[in-house]
Amino acid sequence: RAPAESVQRIPEDTLRGSVQQILRLVEVVGNDEVIGALDVLLTKFPETAAPFAGTVAVRLCHTFLERARGEDAAAAGGDDDDEDCASLRPTISALISLLQALKGSPAAFASLEEPLEGVLR
């Protein structure tokens, strides 16, 4: 395992490329592990969030809404288990990490308003 100092020295363009690749995977695969990887990147490297804030928010909000609709359909079919909402947790966690990463970039919040509006309704 690499020392913590070397982890912090990952070039910014590498981190940006990683975020872009993870976003593509979220779109295609959308599983919790991929969303969890995005969450980790946003938490450990918050400086990568600002340039992609709008894109990340749109992808995560879209994923959340798709899963929420699936949960609603399952509940309507009589499947009302507490574990049903578990599929929403990784996406919410990543959205929270995105918001926390942007604390130092208030201008970036403007790009989040529209995608978050659909989730908050």
Side-chain angles (χ1 to χ4, degrees), residues 11-65:
E12 188 173 330
D13 58 334
T14 301
L15 290 171
R16 285 184 183 164
S18 297
V19 170
Q20 288 176 325
Q21 290 176 345
I22 290 172
L23 286 174
R24 281 189 219 112
L25 284 172
V26 169
E27 184 175 353
V28 174
V29 179
N31 72 17
D32 294 346
E33 289 79 13
V34 175
I35 293 170
L38 179 60
D39 192 3
V40 168
L41 271 178
L42 293 170
T43 301
K44 292 198 179 266
F45 304 101
E47 67 279 2
T48 64
F52 296 102
T55 305
V56 170
V58 166
R59 172 56 23 219
L60 290 173
C61 290
H62 181 73
T63 300
F64 176 85
L65 292 171

Side-chain angles (χ1 to χ4, degrees), residues 49-59 61 95 98-99 102 105-117:
F52 296 102
T55 305
V56 170
V58 166
R59 172 56 23 219
C61 290
L95 279 168
L98 175 62
L99 294 171
L102 295 175
S105 305
F109 281 98
S111 64
L112 305 181
E113 184 177 350
E114 187 176 333
L116 285 173
E117 185 179 340

